[in-house]
Each structure stands twice: as C-alpha cells, then as structure tokens.
Amino acid sequence: TGAQQSATVANPASGASPDLLPHFQLEPEDVYIVKNKAVSLACRAPPATQIYFKCNGEWVHQADHVTQHSTDHGTGLPVMEVRIEVTRQQVEKIFGLEEYWCQCVAWSSSGTTKSQKAFVRIAYLRKNFEQEPMAREVSIEQGVVLPCRPPEGIPPAEVEWLRNEELVDPALDANVYVTPEHSLVLRQARLADTANYTCVAKNIVARRRSASAAITVYVNGGWSTWTQWSGCSTSCGRGWQKRSRTCTNPTPLNGGAFCEGQNVQKTACTTLCPVDGAWSEWSKWSVCGAECTHWRSRECSEPAPRNGGQDCHGPELDTRNCTSELCSHAAPGAEDVALYVGLVAVAVCLVLLLLVGVLMYCRKKGGLDADVADSSILTAGFQPVSIKPSKADNPSLLTIQPDLSTTTMTYQGSLCPRQDGPAKLQLPNGHLLSPLGAGRHTLHHSSPAAEGADFVARLSTQSYFRSLPRGNTNMAYGTFNFLGGRLMIPNTGISLLIPPDAIPRGKIYEVYLTLHKQEEVRLPLAGCQTLLSPIVSCGPPGVLLTRPAILAMGHCVEASTENWSIRLKKQSCEGTWEDVLQLGAEPCTELYYCQLEAQACYIFTEQLGRFALVGESLSMAASKRLKLVLFAPAACPSLEYNIRVYCLSDTQDVLKEVIQLEKQLGGQLIGAPRVLHFKDSYHNLRLSIHDMPSSLWKSKLLASYQEIPFYHIWSGLQPFLHCTFTLERLSPSTCELACKIWVWQVEGDGQSFTVNFNIAKDTRFSDWLVPDSEVGAPALVGPSAFKIPFLIRQKIISSLDPPGTRGADWRMLAQKLNLDSHLSFFASKPSPTAMILNLWEARHFPNGNLSQLAAAVAEVGKQDNALFAVSEAEC
C-alpha cells in the first residue's frame, strides 16, 4: 500500500541553508478507525514556522489544527507540533473511490518539507466465516486437515485454533502445524487428538469463533494371538476342545470396527477310555514235580489293562501239593540230563531257521535288476536331463515318465562363442545384430508359466505376503533361470529386467513384481519430502543376484540439482524405510544405482525388495508434474451434470487407476490430458469454471472457485485428488455444453480447458490413453525378453570389456549411447559392457531400434581399425 514508505520531501528556497530546513521528528502513521471513535494524527518538526495537514490532496482547515510550540534543548531551535482528528464520516465520504490519507507539510525560512503519507482505514470484521471446519472421523495415525477461511476484515484477521477451548500451540506439539491458509493439520492422528476444534479469527475490532468441529480418532480392533487348545471335554470317548482370542490387539475405540471373524474355534477330539484288566482262564495243572507239587498259571489279558485302566488283582500263579499216588521221585541227576537235551534241541532249530532265511534272501536278491535299486530312478523326474541309460534287458524302465510338474529350462545351441583368439568382431556390410534372424541359431526354453492360483498359494506361506496387493491387475510373476527375462505390469510403465547370468546356473527362482497403492503401504514423509514415484515391490525379498536387475518405473519430478534432493528408499525386513542411494552423490554401496531420465528412472539393484523414489525440495522453484484429466458422464438422464477434474501425479500407474475407476462410474474423457508444473510454494491449487452460456446452464457451486490444499497434492500420498463441478441445465432439451475450466496455483501459472461436447451422445470410453507399447505378456522368459540375440551379446561383451586402443572399448560405446555420465558405476562392475547393454534393453524394449545400436557398436570398431562381425558359421 505504500503506507510505510518514508516520504520526507524538501523544497528549499533559493540560497537557503539545508541545515535550517524543517525535519520531522514525528510523522503521521497508519491508523484504523474502530467503530465511531475518531483517530488522531500528529507530526512534529524543528525549526518549523508553520505546519499544516493535507488530506486526500486538500488542505485541512486551520481551525481543525491543534498546535503546540516548544524549543529543542539540544539545538535551541523552535519546535512545532500539530495534531488533527479524523472522524469516520470524513473517511466514509470517499470510501470506495480511493483510500483516505493525510500528510504533513512544514515551512521554515529555508523551504518546505513533506512527511510520509498516513492511511486512515475503517476497521471491521465480518461475522460469517468464508469456510468453517467440519467434523471428521479418522483412523489412528491418519493425517487430518481442518480448513478455516476467516471472515473478511480490515486489518486482516489473525487466526488461532482451540482444542476443547485450549489454545493449540504448534511450537509445543510437533504433530500439529497451521498452514499459511490457516488450515490446521494433524500429521498423524492420535487418541489424544479426539476433541472439539474451533477456529478463532480476531483483529482490533472483534473476535469471531467458528462452529466447533468434532474430531473423533477411532481405532479398529485387532485380534490377539490364539490361546493354547484346551483339554478334551470328555475323559472317555468323543468330545471337543477349543481355543479363543480377544479383540484387544488393539481394542476398538471411538466407534472403530470390531474384529472380523470368530473369537472361538472348536475342534473334535477323542479320548481313549480306560480298560481294566481281567484274568484269563487258569491253565491246566502241571505234572507233579520232585517236591510233590504242581502249578497252574493265568494272564491278565482278557482284556489287558490299557489307557490307564486298573491291573488285575490276585496271583497269577497257583501251586499245591500233589496227592500221594501222583507224587514220584526221579533218580538223582535225571532232571539235569533232560535240561541239557532240551537246550541242544532248541539250538539246532535256531540254526536251521537261520539257514532257511539266508537262502530265501539270496534267491530274492538275485532276481532283482540293479537299476531298480538305483535311487536316481526315483528322482529322475526332478532332473533337467536323464544321464543314466537303461539296460537292454530291462525294457520296463523305458516306460518310466519324468515328472513334468517341475519347471525345467533347456538350452539348444552353444552359449559360449568359438575360441578363435582375442580378435574382435568383424562387421561386414550386413546388419550386426541380425545374423541370427533366420532362426538357424536360436535359444529355446521350455518354461510353462506357473498358474496364478498355484503361485499365490505358494506365496501365501511367506511372511511378506501380508503386505502384497491382492489380485493380478497390479502383479506380474514368472519362473526364471540363468537365461534371465522380464516382468511387466501392463499400462503402468513398471518393469523388472533380469539380465542373463543374474541368477546362478542350476538355480530356478520364482520372481514377482507388484505395484502398491499408497493406502496399502505406509511411507513416512518428513518436512518438505514428497513421493515422486509409485511404490513397487519385487521379490522374493532378500534374494541376492550375481548381476544387478533393473527396475524401471515412472516419476513426476522436474529434476535439477539445485532445486531437489532425491533419494531412493528401500523398506527393510523390519518394515522401516531406509535411504539406500542419494541421486547425484557418490554411491556409498555398489548394490544400488539409479539413472533418472525425464519421465522414468532405472534402478540397478542386486537385492530385491520394496522401492520408492522420494524427493525433498531445496527451494520454492522445485516443481512436480501434475496430469490434469477431465471426465464427465457418458449420458445425462437428469438435469444435473457433473464434471470431474482429476489432479494426478504424472505417472502411468496413477492414470491407469483413474481410467479403471471412471470406467466403473460410466465416465468419458473430455479432451486430452494437460500437464501442470506444481511448485513448492505452499500455495493451494484452484479450479474455476467460466464462459458457460447462462441461458442454458447454471452452476450449483456457491463459491467462485474450488481449492485443493497444497499439502494434499505435494505429499503425493493421495493419488486421486479431484474437484467436481456440478452444473444444471435449464431445459431437458439442452444437449450441448461449452465452457472453460481454469486450473492454477495461487501466484503461479495456470492451465485452461476449453470444453465443448454433446452430453446426450453416449460415447464409450476411448482407449487411446492406453500405451500401445505396454500391451503384451506380463512375463517373458529367456531370449524372448531381449532385443539383442544372446550370442551376439556375448561377443560384444568379450570384445568391448578389455581396454581398447584410443579408448575404443565400452567407454566409447557409453559415449555413443549418451551414457557417459555413468562411467564410474559401469567401471565398478565385472562387465561394464553388460551393464550398458542391460540398460539399453531396459530403456528400449520392445520398440528399441537395433540399427542405431549396431551403428554405435560399428563406430567403436572403426575407431580401433578393427572389423566387427559375427558370421552364421561362428554360431
């Protein structure tokens, strides 16, 4: 407004001394008129003989001045001080034409001096808030934004927030901050944040309170671990046992959802009943012995005691004296002879039985074929190649079929180039990369793709499966060996290249590639950090590769070293996110590297896992690319019509999700998507609609524009932000709509959409948004996943890896392919040429121009005065 500028202007008389010009010790300052109270303006200047006020270009009447004269004790010069009063009526006379201002003019014998201008304004504060906070129910740790736009006022109202009538101080609570637009932001909702929030606006005139908004932070319940199974309910026979769990991990609070599922599980059980033992019948009496006694016995076996039953009671042996006529006395030593004879008979029987057993075993052994006993026959179905031949005299072995359920890879042809000395490839006039095109030397693979259900079933047994998305739309998987391959998630720009020899020979890996939705994975962001890419997982996690795989995905950053600090983040096994690489800095590990291009980034990694690209702005010039897309209903049966404007991060995966969402809603695309550069300036994004024929249409919005808060867009964690413009046609016969939609960031550049279409025509959703280059199989195994034939790739690597004369080696190839900024990374690997070719494959599949690559290789060969060629005979 210029109210604070110093405007002391002197007009000295001719020949006067500047020291005697009036100079102001007190100048009038800006003031506000509160209610009907007049305000006072004063100025003081030595050595002034006259001082008058001039307001809005007119002199104030002399009678309205209050003048006071004094003397400056330091200089002895006369000092004059003048005051006037300005009333509300004076200001209101010119209200709306221009602002009311006053200025002092002081005279002395040496000239004239003017003071600065002081503006007089009528202070006020409207009663109604332009936007009040609304009640919310949020899950714990969820971000919350309470908008507040205070009433119009002069001076502008200051805003403070109350929580249960107590002042909210962001300096004392790091979880809370207030945006420049006066919105209250809770970074992560806590139980203690459950309260009534009130927005208070105040200035020198009044203090206004908004309606209170109740924030309820709820906690969804979670199951505790199962208890141990209880004992069986019966001690004998069939019963049941149970185990239980409680919904206390955590306990649902404030209306949070109760745990889904059963809290008690029962299972059948059977307890063996105890059986008491019972005696069998007594045996017959033995013959009468030498002592004139005989005996009989019985066993506790009818039934025998079991399962804890009681044993039989009573003796198991009964003896008694023989009668006199049954008692006989044997000759001395007769019982010893009988004992010896019995022992000899028993020994002879045992020897005979042993001989019979040995003879039967030898006879049976001699009739078996050796191959039947060979354990390799049992495992032949799990071997890639059967090595041991069958015997001619055992034709039945030829009918044994291998187990084809195991995935095997078969390579036909030689993987190693012919050893013909260190001479490099020779290039004839033909195409370098096409000698294998006739199909005479090809690599075949037999890798039946794993069925989706089988793969997910195996995956579900792993602990990391809980954090993977469900369904196959955002997942690709395949079985790979040392030949490598590629996984792609169609229409997202996300792929994983597994180069040859990345998987050790003899091993087979089941690899998956998944795209996560932001609400599925919690990625903490601090300060000015923002998510720049999708969150992508490749696994299984923890698998180490012998060569770096290349993960390709899109991003939405306008990268520049002076505006951004970009980091590659990886989630550890414990679930925490760690910085593994800072782009532009020297890598602290050789496990990861990232090449950032205009629309995509290529991540070299020797460890599979979960990755995301996160940026932190270093200045307000840092910007992200937003894609603005308009949708409207394909048909309009009612008078009301909605236009949805999406503000998306400029990556293919988000656009794919919106397309799928709009297909379900029955929306059609309006015009081509636009790109908007959204800056880190803390300003919101505004959207408005204009140039709509008022005789045919009217807007049902009360405000002139809509806003999307800055933080919602900048964080990148809310992918489907949009505004809806609700329109109403005044007549059912109206079928044409012509309007213009403006989208702009406050204090920034904007974009306009000119909309002109027929709302009655039922046009189906156009598929031109789907990138044709991405349509195809999500998994490619072996040579079909690469543009460069395998044998020629090996020949190029063996030729360019060794240092060449005049630098004609892999470094020159990197320069020809504009990859010379990554020489230090390539040099850290055993085969720099392989890294260059892998990156070329990742960037140019499936539409790469092999002719350009061949030309680059040929130029390297010419620099070395050597000819490069691969003939069909060599292969």
Side-chain angles (χ1 to χ4, degrees), residues 217-356:
V217 181
Y218 62 86
V219 178
N220 292 326
W223 289 114
S224 64
T225 56
W226 288 102
T227 62
Q228 297 293 329
W229 287 103
S230 65
C232 200
S233 60
T234 60
S235 58
C236 177
R238 186 175 179 84
W240 53 267
Q241 58 184 156
K242 68 177 181 178
R243 64 176 183 176
S244 61
R245 57 180 179 176
T246 57
C247 190
T248 57
N249 187 31
T251 304
L253 295 174
N254 298 334
F258 196 78
C259 304
E260 296 183 0
Q262 298 178 342
N263 64 338
V264 176
Q265 283 185 346
K266 291 185 178 181
T267 184
C269 60
T270 301
T271 304
L272 297 177
C273 298
V275 176
D276 295 336
W279 292 112
S280 63
E281 294 293 334
W282 286 102
S283 65
K284 293 182 178 181
W285 289 100
S286 67
V287 297
C288 194
E291 291 80 11
C292 292
T293 61
H294 60 173
W295 53 269
R296 63 177 181 176
S297 65
R298 60 179 179 178
E299 294 180 350
C300 189
S301 58
E302 293 186 5
R306 61 180 182 270
N307 305 329
Q310 294 183 357
D311 205 352
C312 301
H313 297 285
E316 61 180 353
L317 187 67
D318 183 21
T319 61
R320 70 178 181 180
N321 293 328
C322 303
T323 59
S324 58
E325 58 271 12
L326 294 178
C327 182
S328 61
H329 297 277
E335 51 269 47
D336 294 338
V337 174
L339 176 63
Y340 295 147
V341 171
L343 291 174
V344 171
V346 170
V348 171
C349 292
L350 291 176
V351 170
L352 291 175
L353 288 175
L354 181 61
L355 289 175
V356 172

Side-chain angles (χ1 to χ4, degrees), residues 320-486:
R320 70 178 181 180
N321 293 328
C322 303
T323 59
S324 58
E325 58 271 12
L326 294 178
C327 182
S328 61
H329 297 277
E335 51 269 47
D336 294 338
V337 174
L339 176 63
Y340 295 147
V341 171
L343 291 174
V344 171
V346 170
V348 171
C349 292
L350 291 176
V351 170
L352 291 175
L353 288 175
L354 181 61
L355 289 175
V356 172
V358 169
L359 289 175
M360 293 181 64
Y361 175 78
C362 293
R363 183 178 180 181
K364 187 175 182 180
K365 179 69 177 179
L368 291 176
D369 184 73
D371 281 344
V372 176
D374 191 346
S375 63
S376 65
I377 295 296
L378 302 178
T379 59
F382 297 94
Q383 307 300 325
V385 180
S386 179
I387 299 175
K388 186 172 181 178
S390 303
K391 284 190 176 182
D393 57 353
N394 191 10
S396 63
L397 289 180
L398 299 177
T399 63
I400 298 178
Q401 299 296 323
D403 183 5
L404 297 181
S405 64
T406 301
T407 303
T408 61
M409 303 293 292
T410 304
Y411 165 64
Q412 301 177 2
S414 174
L415 289 180
C416 299
R418 195 178 62 188
Q419 301 299 323
D420 45 0
K424 295 197 173 186
L425 297 164
Q426 203 177 80
L427 250 191
N429 294 330
H431 199 292
L432 169 67
L433 301 180
S434 60
L436 302 182
R440 292 181 56 191
H441 304 87
T442 58
L443 296 174
H444 301 280
H445 62 92
S446 56
S447 176
E451 294 294 334
D454 294 340
F455 184 87
V456 173
R458 289 192 298 274
L459 203 63
S460 62
T461 63
Q462 306 298 324
S463 59
Y464 53 82
F465 178 75
R466 297 191 302 269
S467 61
L468 295 180
R470 303 298 183 263
N472 296 326
T473 51
N474 289 329
M475 173 181 282
Y477 49 85
T479 304
F480 301 92
N481 64 359
F482 73 97
L483 289 176
R486 183 188 305 267

Side-chain angles (χ1 to χ4, degrees), residues 468-469 474-476 489 494 512-516 535-538:
L468 295 180
N474 289 329
M475 173 181 282
I489 302 179
I494 298 172
Y512 65 83
L513 177 67
T514 62
L515 166 65
H516 296 273
I535 302 175
V536 179
S537 290
C538 53

Side-chain angles (χ1 to χ4, degrees), residues 732-857:
S733 61
T734 301
C735 296
E736 297 289 336
L737 173 60
C739 62
K740 182 175 292 186
I741 294 178
W742 275 97
V743 182
W744 77 100
Q745 190 176 9
V746 181
E747 297 187 9
D749 299 328
Q751 294 278 344
S752 67
F753 290 80
T754 301
V755 179
N756 193 345
F757 60 99
N758 190 323
I759 67 172
K761 185 178 180 182
D762 186 12
T763 56
R764 290 302 170 191
F765 191 89
S766 59
D767 293 330
W768 67 270
L769 284 174
V770 180
D772 296 334
S773 62
E774 295 258 354
V775 178
L780 296 173
V781 182
S784 61
F786 304 98
K787 293 285 291 183
I788 307 173
F790 187 87
L791 297 181
I792 293 182
R793 167 192 168 92
Q794 297 298 97
K795 197 68 174 180
I796 295 175
I797 291 173
S798 62
S799 300
L800 298 186
D801 271 350
T805 58
R806 293 184 295 278
D809 51 24
W810 62 269
R811 288 166 295 205
M812 185 174 292
L813 178 62
Q815 182 180 2
K816 299 295 182 183
L817 299 178
N818 298 321
L819 301 176
D820 47 337
S821 60
H822 311 288
L823 293 181
S824 59
F825 169 70
F826 296 147
S828 66
K829 298 302 176 184
S831 175
T833 310
M835 295 297 102
I836 296 174
L837 298 181
N838 294 343
L839 181 56
W840 187 91
E841 291 277 10
R843 295 170 66 191
H844 297 91
F845 189 88
N847 299 321
N849 191 333
L850 282 174
S851 300
Q852 293 180 356
L853 178 61
V857 176

Side-chain angles (χ1 to χ4, degrees), residues 3 5-11 22-30 40-46 48 50-60 64-67 80-86 100-108 111-120:
Q5 65 183 3
S6 180
T8 302
V9 181
N11 296 318
H23 62 276
F24 285 96
Q25 295 177 341
L26 176 65
E27 296 185 79
E29 297 180 348
D30 294 350
S40 176
L41 300 177
C43 56
R44 181 173 63 247
Q50 289 183 354
I51 299 178
Y52 289 100
F53 272 92
K54 195 175 188 179
C55 295
N56 284 76
E58 297 182 0
W59 294 104
V60 178
D64 295 332
H65 291 73
V66 177
T67 305
M80 177 177 286
E81 183 174 342
V82 177
R83 295 180 180 272
I84 64 169
E85 287 191 348
V86 180
Y100 192 94
W101 59 268
C102 292
Q103 184 181 36
C104 280
V105 182
W107 284 269
S108 71
T112 306
T113 304
K114 293 182 180 180
S115 72
Q116 67 180 7
K117 288 183 179 180
F119 288 86
V120 182

